[in-house]
Amino acid sequence: MIPRPTLRWTDRLPAGASWPVALKPGAAIGLFAPAHAFDRGEMERGAAMLRSWGLTVKIPKKLGRRDRYLAGDDAHRLAVLAELMEDESVDGLMAVRGGFGCQRLLPALAPLWSRWPAKPIFGFSDLTALHLARFQASGVAGYHAPMVVSLGKAAPGQLADRPSQADLRRALTSGDRSGGWAFAPRDILKPGHAEGPLLGGNLTLLTALASGPWLPDFTGAILLVEDIDEPPYRLDRLLTTLRQSPIWERAAGLVFGAFTRCGPPAEVRRLLKEAAADFAGPVLCRAPFGHEARNRLFPIGALAELKAQGFGKGYFVRPQLL
């Protein structure tokens, strides 16, 4: 029997890196909004789901301000994050939503990461900037995972699905950090084998940060990438920018997640195949993470193994999530 293509990670990290504090049932989770302003109703519904899992939820009194499209000005958003990091009664932090704004905070955060306790941070999209900058500065891993509003969406198609909720709940209530996904043969864009730390997140953020000092070293990494609302010509430009960056040259494996509302699926797949042909290592697509109901958690920095063995024509199995 031909084995499925897989991406699996362990609880091991590269030398010099460390896990954040493992959470236990009943942990206190502080909510913060480092980027866009948010819908209060979605936040409250998301917080209610966290409480239903037995967690204590701390919502800072300052949370909820608005400055243009942001959840307060830079100083305010930074102050909320600092308050939760320095509060000994708070065990972990979860972003309310993404959008834009995290990149604006990176210069002020640079000297703070190594001073703050290693509390876990959960989020994705714009949180890519915080996860990667923290890993680069202090070596502390983070969790690319659904955010609070992902748990509070009123429309069923936008609400994080049950497997994604289960991943998040497990990470919020236990110290189990290993995991992985199985793929279908058609998800192999380039066969091969790679081992290295999981790094990446949102494509727009990766390209925006590529020329700055905030990214960790991608040498030997398995690069994970997703995006939303980028029409084909802009997606092409983002992928081209990534292909011309040191990230592309140094990564050992590549995994594409969801590209939501980025154009016709066939056109998106063509762009991904073009990029895969230019990549030195193995490439998988249709991974279960991104701006969709299916947004499975993965730990930034965890050592992983990508297996994408070649398959003969006509061989097909249903994709399976682990």
Side-chain angles (χ1 to χ4, degrees), residues 198-235:
L198 300 176
L199 293 175
N202 181 259
L203 175 60
T204 297
L205 265 295
L206 285 168
T207 57
L209 297 171
S211 61
W214 315 118
L215 292 181
D217 183 3
F218 278 75
T219 301
I222 295 175
L223 174 63
L224 295 97
V225 181
E226 61 80 31
D227 219 321
I228 185 173
D229 288 335
E230 298 293 348
Y233 78 93
R234 292 210 313 242
L235 179 59

PDB file of all heavy atoms in Angstrom, residues 198-235:
ATOM      1  N   LEU A 198       8.610  24.238  11.699  1.00  0.00           N
ATOM      2  CA  LEU A 198       7.472  24.857  11.026  1.00  0.00           C
ATOM      3  C   LEU A 198       7.546  26.372  11.187  1.00  0.00           C
ATOM      4  O   LEU A 198       7.548  26.884  12.314  1.00  0.00           O
ATOM      5  CB  LEU A 198       6.161  24.349  11.619  1.00  0.00           C
ATOM      6  CG  LEU A 198       5.871  22.856  11.542  1.00  0.00           C
ATOM      7  CD1 LEU A 198       4.579  22.531  12.273  1.00  0.00           C
ATOM      8  CD2 LEU A 198       5.805  22.388  10.099  1.00  0.00           C
ATOM      9  N   LEU A 199       7.597  27.087  10.072  1.00  0.00           N
ATOM     10  CA  LEU A 199       7.615  28.547  10.101  1.00  0.00           C
ATOM     11  C   LEU A 199       6.704  29.066   8.993  1.00  0.00           C
ATOM     12  O   LEU A 199       6.544  28.424   7.962  1.00  0.00           O
ATOM     13  CB  LEU A 199       9.031  29.088   9.890  1.00  0.00           C
ATOM     14  CG  LEU A 199      10.058  28.815  10.993  1.00  0.00           C
ATOM     15  CD1 LEU A 199      11.435  29.319  10.574  1.00  0.00           C
ATOM     16  CD2 LEU A 199       9.639  29.450  12.308  1.00  0.00           C
ATOM     17  N   GLY A 200       6.125  30.233   9.208  1.00  0.00           N
ATOM     18  CA  GLY A 200       5.297  30.835   8.170  1.00  0.00           C
ATOM     19  C   GLY A 200       4.009  31.383   8.713  1.00  0.00           C
ATOM     20  O   GLY A 200       3.917  31.803   9.863  1.00  0.00           O
ATOM     21  N   GLY A 201       2.982  31.368   7.852  1.00  0.00           N
ATOM     22  CA  GLY A 201       1.690  31.942   8.198  1.00  0.00           C
ATOM     23  C   GLY A 201       1.108  32.657   7.002  1.00  0.00           C
ATOM     24  O   GLY A 201       1.000  32.092   5.902  1.00  0.00           O
ATOM     25  N   ASN A 202       0.777  33.911   7.170  1.00  0.00           N
ATOM     26  CA  ASN A 202       0.117  34.678   6.122  1.00  0.00           C
ATOM     27  C   ASN A 202       1.118  35.164   5.074  1.00  0.00           C
ATOM     28  O   ASN A 202       2.146  35.755   5.414  1.00  0.00           O
ATOM     29  CB  ASN A 202      -0.619  35.865   6.747  1.00  0.00           C
ATOM     30  CG  ASN A 202      -1.342  36.697   5.719  1.00  0.00           C
ATOM     31  OD1 ASN A 202      -0.867  37.739   5.328  1.00  0.00           O
ATOM     32  ND2 ASN A 202      -2.497  36.229   5.270  1.00  0.00           N
ATOM     33  N   LEU A 203       0.801  34.930   3.808  1.00  0.00           N
ATOM     34  CA  LEU A 203       1.704  35.283   2.712  1.00  0.00           C
ATOM     35  C   LEU A 203       1.967  36.783   2.650  1.00  0.00           C
ATOM     36  O   LEU A 203       3.107  37.222   2.473  1.00  0.00           O
ATOM     37  CB  LEU A 203       1.112  34.790   1.383  1.00  0.00           C
ATOM     38  CG  LEU A 203       1.852  35.177   0.108  1.00  0.00           C
ATOM     39  CD1 LEU A 203       3.277  34.644   0.105  1.00  0.00           C
ATOM     40  CD2 LEU A 203       1.084  34.663  -1.121  1.00  0.00           C
ATOM     41  N   THR A 204       0.927  37.594   2.783  1.00  0.00           N
ATOM     42  CA  THR A 204       1.105  39.044   2.727  1.00  0.00           C
ATOM     43  C   THR A 204       2.069  39.518   3.807  1.00  0.00           C
ATOM     44  O   THR A 204       2.944  40.359   3.557  1.00  0.00           O
ATOM     45  CB  THR A 204      -0.246  39.765   2.875  1.00  0.00           C
ATOM     46  OG1 THR A 204      -1.082  39.418   1.762  1.00  0.00           O
ATOM     47  CG2 THR A 204      -0.071  41.270   2.895  1.00  0.00           C
ATOM     48  N   LEU A 205       1.930  38.983   5.012  1.00  0.00           N
ATOM     49  CA  LEU A 205       2.823  39.380   6.102  1.00  0.00           C
ATOM     50  C   LEU A 205       4.247  38.908   5.850  1.00  0.00           C
ATOM     51  O   LEU A 205       5.220  39.639   6.123  1.00  0.00           O
ATOM     52  CB  LEU A 205       2.308  38.822   7.425  1.00  0.00           C
ATOM     53  CG  LEU A 205       1.435  39.748   8.276  1.00  0.00           C
ATOM     54  CD1 LEU A 205       2.222  40.954   8.762  1.00  0.00           C
ATOM     55  CD2 LEU A 205       0.199  40.217   7.513  1.00  0.00           C
ATOM     56  N   LEU A 206       4.410  37.696   5.345  1.00  0.00           N
ATOM     57  CA  LEU A 206       5.752  37.192   5.068  1.00  0.00           C
ATOM     58  C   LEU A 206       6.481  38.069   4.063  1.00  0.00           C
ATOM     59  O   LEU A 206       7.662  38.391   4.244  1.00  0.00           O
ATOM     60  CB  LEU A 206       5.677  35.759   4.544  1.00  0.00           C
ATOM     61  CG  LEU A 206       5.374  34.676   5.577  1.00  0.00           C
ATOM     62  CD1 LEU A 206       5.033  33.373   4.886  1.00  0.00           C
ATOM     63  CD2 LEU A 206       6.576  34.476   6.503  1.00  0.00           C
ATOM     64  N   THR A 207       5.792  38.472   3.008  1.00  0.00           N
ATOM     65  CA  THR A 207       6.448  39.315   2.010  1.00  0.00           C
ATOM     66  C   THR A 207       6.696  40.719   2.563  1.00  0.00           C
ATOM     67  O   THR A 207       7.715  41.335   2.252  1.00  0.00           O
ATOM     68  CB  THR A 207       5.618  39.402   0.725  1.00  0.00           C
ATOM     69  OG1 THR A 207       4.303  39.906   1.018  1.00  0.00           O
ATOM     70  CG2 THR A 207       5.478  38.038   0.076  1.00  0.00           C
ATOM     71  N   ALA A 208       5.790  41.211   3.406  1.00  0.00           N
ATOM     72  CA  ALA A 208       5.979  42.544   3.995  1.00  0.00           C
ATOM     73  C   ALA A 208       7.164  42.575   4.953  1.00  0.00           C
ATOM     74  O   ALA A 208       7.848  43.598   5.083  1.00  0.00           O
ATOM     75  CB  ALA A 208       4.708  42.972   4.725  1.00  0.00           C
ATOM     76  N   LEU A 209       7.419  41.442   5.622  1.00  0.00           N
ATOM     77  CA  LEU A 209       8.482  41.382   6.618  1.00  0.00           C
ATOM     78  C   LEU A 209       9.816  40.903   6.041  1.00  0.00           C
ATOM     79  O   LEU A 209      10.840  40.953   6.733  1.00  0.00           O
ATOM     80  CB  LEU A 209       8.078  40.436   7.748  1.00  0.00           C
ATOM     81  CG  LEU A 209       6.847  40.821   8.570  1.00  0.00           C
ATOM     82  CD1 LEU A 209       6.459  39.679   9.508  1.00  0.00           C
ATOM     83  CD2 LEU A 209       7.101  42.099   9.358  1.00  0.00           C
ATOM     84  N   ALA A 210       9.804  40.445   4.790  1.00  0.00           N
ATOM     85  CA  ALA A 210      10.984  39.775   4.229  1.00  0.00           C
ATOM     86  C   ALA A 210      12.229  40.651   4.211  1.00  0.00           C
ATOM     87  O   ALA A 210      13.353  40.149   4.326  1.00  0.00           O
ATOM     88  CB  ALA A 210      10.673  39.275   2.821  1.00  0.00           C
ATOM     89  N   SER A 211      12.058  41.952   4.072  1.00  0.00           N
ATOM     90  CA  SER A 211      13.230  42.832   3.972  1.00  0.00           C
ATOM     91  C   SER A 211      13.589  43.485   5.307  1.00  0.00           C
ATOM     92  O   SER A 211      14.540  44.272   5.372  1.00  0.00           O
ATOM     93  CB  SER A 211      12.976  43.929   2.930  1.00  0.00           C
ATOM     94  OG  SER A 211      11.860  44.725   3.306  1.00  0.00           O
ATOM     95  N   GLY A 212      12.858  43.159   6.374  1.00  0.00           N
ATOM     96  CA  GLY A 212      13.121  43.757   7.676  1.00  0.00           C
ATOM     97  C   GLY A 212      13.922  42.860   8.588  1.00  0.00           C
ATOM     98  O   GLY A 212      14.323  41.751   8.206  1.00  0.00           O
ATOM     99  N   PRO A 213      14.117  43.286   9.838  1.00  0.00           N
ATOM    100  CA  PRO A 213      14.948  42.519  10.777  1.00  0.00           C
ATOM    101  C   PRO A 213      14.173  41.592  11.698  1.00  0.00           C
ATOM    102  O   PRO A 213      14.733  41.067  12.655  1.00  0.00           O
ATOM    103  CB  PRO A 213      15.597  43.639  11.600  1.00  0.00           C
ATOM    104  CG  PRO A 213      14.521  44.684  11.681  1.00  0.00           C
ATOM    105  CD  PRO A 213      13.793  44.627  10.361  1.00  0.00           C
ATOM    106  N   TRP A 214      12.871  41.352  11.421  1.00  0.00           N
ATOM    107  CA  TRP A 214      12.013  40.691  12.403  1.00  0.00           C
ATOM    108  C   TRP A 214      11.844  39.195  12.204  1.00  0.00           C
ATOM    109  O   TRP A 214      11.304  38.523  13.074  1.00  0.00           O
ATOM    110  CB  TRP A 214      10.624  41.358  12.399  1.00  0.00           C
ATOM    111  CG  TRP A 214      10.674  42.842  12.387  1.00  0.00           C
ATOM    112  CD1 TRP A 214      10.195  43.672  11.415  1.00  0.00           C
ATOM    113  CD2 TRP A 214      11.256  43.690  13.375  1.00  0.00           C
ATOM    114  NE1 TRP A 214      10.432  44.981  11.733  1.00  0.00           N
ATOM    115  CE2 TRP A 214      11.086  45.031  12.943  1.00  0.00           C
ATOM    116  CE3 TRP A 214      11.899  43.467  14.596  1.00  0.00           C
ATOM    117  CZ2 TRP A 214      11.528  46.129  13.668  1.00  0.00           C
ATOM    118  CZ3 TRP A 214      12.355  44.561  15.323  1.00  0.00           C
ATOM    119  CH2 TRP A 214      12.176  45.863  14.868  1.00  0.00           C
ATOM    120  N   LEU A 215      12.280  38.660  11.070  1.00  0.00           N
ATOM    121  CA  LEU A 215      12.031  37.249  10.783  1.00  0.00           C
ATOM    122  C   LEU A 215      13.142  36.351  11.324  1.00  0.00           C
ATOM    123  O   LEU A 215      14.313  36.738  11.335  1.00  0.00           O
ATOM    124  CB  LEU A 215      11.901  37.026   9.274  1.00  0.00           C
ATOM    125  CG  LEU A 215      10.683  37.624   8.585  1.00  0.00           C
ATOM    126  CD1 LEU A 215      10.709  37.294   7.100  1.00  0.00           C
ATOM    127  CD2 LEU A 215       9.391  37.122   9.222  1.00  0.00           C
ATOM    128  N   PRO A 216      12.785  35.128  11.749  1.00  0.00           N
ATOM    129  CA  PRO A 216      13.805  34.154  12.131  1.00  0.00           C
ATOM    130  C   PRO A 216      14.501  33.611  10.885  1.00  0.00           C
ATOM    131  O   PRO A 216      14.087  33.871   9.747  1.00  0.00           O
ATOM    132  CB  PRO A 216      12.994  33.061  12.831  1.00  0.00           C
ATOM    133  CG  PRO A 216      11.641  33.142  12.197  1.00  0.00           C
ATOM    134  CD  PRO A 216      11.418  34.600  11.893  1.00  0.00           C
ATOM    135  N   ASP A 217      15.531  32.829  11.092  1.00  0.00           N
ATOM    136  CA  ASP A 217      16.249  32.197   9.993  1.00  0.00           C
ATOM    137  C   ASP A 217      15.413  31.037   9.459  1.00  0.00           C
ATOM    138  O   ASP A 217      15.042  30.133  10.199  1.00  0.00           O
ATOM    139  CB  ASP A 217      17.603  31.696  10.507  1.00  0.00           C
ATOM    140  CG  ASP A 217      18.466  31.090   9.412  1.00  0.00           C
ATOM    141  OD1 ASP A 217      18.046  31.105   8.233  1.00  0.00           O
ATOM    142  OD2 ASP A 217      19.562  30.596   9.738  1.00  0.00           O
ATOM    143  N   PHE A 218      15.117  31.051   8.171  1.00  0.00           N
ATOM    144  CA  PHE A 218      14.297  30.011   7.547  1.00  0.00           C
ATOM    145  C   PHE A 218      15.134  28.861   6.990  1.00  0.00           C
ATOM    146  O   PHE A 218      14.584  27.985   6.314  1.00  0.00           O
ATOM    147  CB  PHE A 218      13.441  30.614   6.433  1.00  0.00           C
ATOM    148  CG  PHE A 218      12.178  31.261   6.920  1.00  0.00           C
ATOM    149  CD1 PHE A 218      12.208  32.500   7.552  1.00  0.00           C
ATOM    150  CD2 PHE A 218      10.952  30.637   6.760  1.00  0.00           C
ATOM    151  CE1 PHE A 218      11.045  33.098   8.001  1.00  0.00           C
ATOM    152  CE2 PHE A 218       9.785  31.225   7.210  1.00  0.00           C
ATOM    153  CZ  PHE A 218       9.828  32.459   7.836  1.00  0.00           C
ATOM    154  N   THR A 219      16.415  28.834   7.269  1.00  0.00           N
ATOM    155  CA  THR A 219      17.257  27.759   6.751  1.00  0.00           C
ATOM    156  C   THR A 219      16.761  26.399   7.239  1.00  0.00           C
ATOM    157  O   THR A 219      16.656  26.149   8.438  1.00  0.00           O
ATOM    158  CB  THR A 219      18.720  27.959   7.182  1.00  0.00           C
ATOM    159  OG1 THR A 219      19.196  29.219   6.685  1.00  0.00           O
ATOM    160  CG2 THR A 219      19.600  26.839   6.642  1.00  0.00           C
ATOM    161  N   GLY A 220      16.427  25.533   6.294  1.00  0.00           N
ATOM    162  CA  GLY A 220      15.951  24.195   6.626  1.00  0.00           C
ATOM    163  C   GLY A 220      14.526  24.122   7.118  1.00  0.00           C
ATOM    164  O   GLY A 220      14.061  23.048   7.517  1.00  0.00           O
ATOM    165  N   ALA A 221      13.786  25.229   7.075  1.00  0.00           N
ATOM    166  CA  ALA A 221      12.426  25.253   7.614  1.00  0.00           C
ATOM    167  C   ALA A 221      11.422  24.644   6.641  1.00  0.00           C
ATOM    168  O   ALA A 221      11.652  24.569   5.429  1.00  0.00           O
ATOM    169  CB  ALA A 221      12.008  26.684   7.934  1.00  0.00           C
ATOM    170  N   ILE A 222      10.285  24.223   7.198  1.00  0.00           N
ATOM    171  CA  ILE A 222       9.120  23.864   6.398  1.00  0.00           C
ATOM    172  C   ILE A 222       8.205  25.085   6.433  1.00  0.00           C
ATOM    173  O   ILE A 222       7.697  25.476   7.477  1.00  0.00           O
ATOM    174  CB  ILE A 222       8.422  22.614   6.945  1.00  0.00           C
ATOM    175  CG1 ILE A 222       9.362  21.409   6.823  1.00  0.00           C
ATOM    176  CG2 ILE A 222       7.122  22.352   6.190  1.00  0.00           C
ATOM    177  CD1 ILE A 222       8.838  20.131   7.437  1.00  0.00           C
ATOM    178  N   LEU A 223       8.062  25.706   5.282  1.00  0.00           N
ATOM    179  CA  LEU A 223       7.350  26.969   5.150  1.00  0.00           C
ATOM    180  C   LEU A 223       5.867  26.723   4.886  1.00  0.00           C
ATOM    181  O   LEU A 223       5.510  26.012   3.948  1.00  0.00           O
ATOM    182  CB  LEU A 223       7.962  27.775   4.004  1.00  0.00           C
ATOM    183  CG  LEU A 223       7.285  29.074   3.590  1.00  0.00           C
ATOM    184  CD1 LEU A 223       7.291  30.090   4.719  1.00  0.00           C
ATOM    185  CD2 LEU A 223       7.982  29.649   2.344  1.00  0.00           C
ATOM    186  N   LEU A 224       5.000  27.301   5.722  1.00  0.00           N
ATOM    187  CA  LEU A 224       3.547  27.185   5.554  1.00  0.00           C
ATOM    188  C   LEU A 224       2.990  28.554   5.182  1.00  0.00           C
ATOM    189  O   LEU A 224       3.341  29.573   5.799  1.00  0.00           O
ATOM    190  CB  LEU A 224       2.888  26.670   6.835  1.00  0.00           C
ATOM    191  CG  LEU A 224       3.274  25.245   7.232  1.00  0.00           C
ATOM    192  CD1 LEU A 224       4.379  25.259   8.270  1.00  0.00           C
ATOM    193  CD2 LEU A 224       2.078  24.479   7.760  1.00  0.00           C
ATOM    194  N   VAL A 225       2.101  28.579   4.182  1.00  0.00           N
ATOM    195  CA  VAL A 225       1.640  29.844   3.619  1.00  0.00           C
ATOM    196  C   VAL A 225       0.149  29.779   3.300  1.00  0.00           C
ATOM    197  O   VAL A 225      -0.345  28.781   2.777  1.00  0.00           O
ATOM    198  CB  VAL A 225       2.418  30.182   2.328  1.00  0.00           C
ATOM    199  CG1 VAL A 225       1.964  31.512   1.751  1.00  0.00           C
ATOM    200  CG2 VAL A 225       3.917  30.228   2.588  1.00  0.00           C
ATOM    201  N   GLU A 226      -0.567  30.866   3.622  1.00  0.00           N
ATOM    202  CA  GLU A 226      -1.992  31.008   3.265  1.00  0.00           C
ATOM    203  C   GLU A 226      -2.290  32.479   3.037  1.00  0.00           C
ATOM    204  O   GLU A 226      -1.495  33.349   3.391  1.00  0.00           O
ATOM    205  CB  GLU A 226      -2.880  30.453   4.384  1.00  0.00           C
ATOM    206  CG  GLU A 226      -2.741  31.152   5.736  1.00  0.00           C
ATOM    207  CD  GLU A 226      -3.504  32.460   5.873  1.00  0.00           C
ATOM    208  OE1 GLU A 226      -4.576  32.603   5.241  1.00  0.00           O
ATOM    209  OE2 GLU A 226      -3.033  33.346   6.611  1.00  0.00           O
ATOM    210  N   ASP A 227      -3.483  32.776   2.460  1.00  0.00           N
ATOM    211  CA  ASP A 227      -3.893  34.181   2.330  1.00  0.00           C
ATOM    212  C   ASP A 227      -5.375  34.272   1.984  1.00  0.00           C
ATOM    213  O   ASP A 227      -6.047  33.256   1.766  1.00  0.00           O
ATOM    214  CB  ASP A 227      -3.057  34.913   1.283  1.00  0.00           C
ATOM    215  CG  ASP A 227      -2.723  36.343   1.727  1.00  0.00           C
ATOM    216  OD1 ASP A 227      -3.604  37.006   2.319  1.00  0.00           O
ATOM    217  OD2 ASP A 227      -1.594  36.787   1.498  1.00  0.00           O
ATOM    218  N   ILE A 228      -5.855  35.500   1.949  1.00  0.00           N
ATOM    219  CA  ILE A 228      -7.275  35.769   1.688  1.00  0.00           C
ATOM    220  C   ILE A 228      -7.418  37.077   0.919  1.00  0.00           C
ATOM    221  O   ILE A 228      -6.613  38.006   1.069  1.00  0.00           O
ATOM    222  CB  ILE A 228      -8.062  35.852   3.019  1.00  0.00           C
ATOM    223  CG1 ILE A 228      -9.564  36.013   2.752  1.00  0.00           C
ATOM    224  CG2 ILE A 228      -7.540  36.985   3.902  1.00  0.00           C
ATOM    225  CD1 ILE A 228     -10.427  35.932   3.999  1.00  0.00           C
ATOM    226  N   ASP A 229      -8.441  37.127   0.061  1.00  0.00           N
ATOM    227  CA  ASP A 229      -8.829  38.354  -0.644  1.00  0.00           C
ATOM    228  C   ASP A 229      -7.700  38.962  -1.473  1.00  0.00           C
ATOM    229  O   ASP A 229      -7.541  40.187  -1.529  1.00  0.00           O
ATOM    230  CB  ASP A 229      -9.366  39.393   0.350  1.00  0.00           C
ATOM    231  CG  ASP A 229     -10.733  39.020   0.895  1.00  0.00           C
ATOM    232  OD1 ASP A 229     -11.461  38.282   0.204  1.00  0.00           O
ATOM    233  OD2 ASP A 229     -11.057  39.434   2.021  1.00  0.00           O
ATOM    234  N   GLU A 230      -6.915  38.116  -2.101  1.00  0.00           N
ATOM    235  CA  GLU A 230      -5.888  38.587  -3.034  1.00  0.00           C
ATOM    236  C   GLU A 230      -6.238  38.049  -4.411  1.00  0.00           C
ATOM    237  O   GLU A 230      -6.070  36.851  -4.668  1.00  0.00           O
ATOM    238  CB  GLU A 230      -4.497  38.096  -2.607  1.00  0.00           C
ATOM    239  CG  GLU A 230      -4.026  38.599  -1.253  1.00  0.00           C
ATOM    240  CD  GLU A 230      -3.763  40.097  -1.236  1.00  0.00           C
ATOM    241  OE1 GLU A 230      -3.726  40.726  -2.315  1.00  0.00           O
ATOM    242  OE2 GLU A 230      -3.604  40.644  -0.123  1.00  0.00           O
ATOM    243  N   PRO A 231      -6.748  38.877  -5.313  1.00  0.00           N
ATOM    244  CA  PRO A 231      -7.095  38.387  -6.656  1.00  0.00           C
ATOM    245  C   PRO A 231      -5.849  37.827  -7.355  1.00  0.00           C
ATOM    246  O   PRO A 231      -4.719  38.091  -6.932  1.00  0.00           O
ATOM    247  CB  PRO A 231      -7.638  39.626  -7.364  1.00  0.00           C
ATOM    248  CG  PRO A 231      -7.146  40.790  -6.576  1.00  0.00           C
ATOM    249  CD  PRO A 231      -7.003  40.319  -5.168  1.00  0.00           C
ATOM    250  N   PRO A 232      -6.055  37.034  -8.411  1.00  0.00           N
ATOM    251  CA  PRO A 232      -4.930  36.326  -9.016  1.00  0.00           C
ATOM    252  C   PRO A 232      -3.702  37.174  -9.320  1.00  0.00           C
ATOM    253  O   PRO A 232      -2.575  36.741  -9.078  1.00  0.00           O
ATOM    254  CB  PRO A 232      -5.545  35.738 -10.288  1.00  0.00           C
ATOM    255  CG  PRO A 232      -6.970  35.486  -9.907  1.00  0.00           C
ATOM    256  CD  PRO A 232      -7.344  36.646  -9.026  1.00  0.00           C
ATOM    257  N   TYR A 233      -3.876  38.384  -9.858  1.00  0.00           N
ATOM    258  CA  TYR A 233      -2.689  39.162 -10.213  1.00  0.00           C
ATOM    259  C   TYR A 233      -1.919  39.593  -8.969  1.00  0.00           C
ATOM    260  O   TYR A 233      -0.683  39.650  -8.972  1.00  0.00           O
ATOM    261  CB  TYR A 233      -3.071  40.380 -11.079  1.00  0.00           C
ATOM    262  CG  TYR A 233      -3.661  41.548 -10.319  1.00  0.00           C
ATOM    263  CD1 TYR A 233      -2.846  42.593  -9.864  1.00  0.00           C
ATOM    264  CD2 TYR A 233      -5.027  41.613 -10.061  1.00  0.00           C
ATOM    265  CE1 TYR A 233      -3.393  43.669  -9.171  1.00  0.00           C
ATOM    266  CE2 TYR A 233      -5.573  42.674  -9.372  1.00  0.00           C
ATOM    267  CZ  TYR A 233      -4.755  43.703  -8.924  1.00  0.00           C
ATOM    268  OH  TYR A 233      -5.294  44.761  -8.232  1.00  0.00           O
ATOM    269  N   ARG A 234      -2.639  39.869  -7.868  1.00  0.00           N
ATOM    270  CA  ARG A 234      -1.948  40.244  -6.633  1.00  0.00           C
ATOM    271  C   ARG A 234      -1.334  39.021  -5.960  1.00  0.00           C
ATOM    272  O   ARG A 234      -0.246  39.093  -5.387  1.00  0.00           O
ATOM    273  CB  ARG A 234      -2.903  40.966  -5.666  1.00  0.00           C
ATOM    274  CG  ARG A 234      -3.334  42.324  -6.176  1.00  0.00           C
ATOM    275  CD  ARG A 234      -3.628  43.317  -5.066  1.00  0.00           C
ATOM    276  NE  ARG A 234      -4.466  42.811  -4.001  1.00  0.00           N
ATOM    277  CZ  ARG A 234      -5.663  43.296  -3.676  1.00  0.00           C
ATOM    278  NH1 ARG A 234      -6.196  44.285  -4.391  1.00  0.00           N
ATOM    279  NH2 ARG A 234      -6.340  42.804  -2.653  1.00  0.00           N
ATOM    280  N   LEU A 235      -2.039  37.882  -6.017  1.00  0.00           N
ATOM    281  CA  LEU A 235      -1.478  36.650  -5.488  1.00  0.00           C
ATOM    282  C   LEU A 235      -0.206  36.293  -6.249  1.00  0.00           C
ATOM    283  O   LEU A 235       0.796  35.865  -5.652  1.00  0.00           O
ATOM    284  CB  LEU A 235      -2.501  35.522  -5.584  1.00  0.00           C
ATOM    285  CG  LEU A 235      -2.051  34.149  -5.083  1.00  0.00           C
ATOM    286  CD1 LEU A 235      -1.632  34.205  -3.618  1.00  0.00           C
ATOM    287  CD2 LEU A 235      -3.165  33.125  -5.273  1.00  0.00           C
TER     288      LEU A 235
END
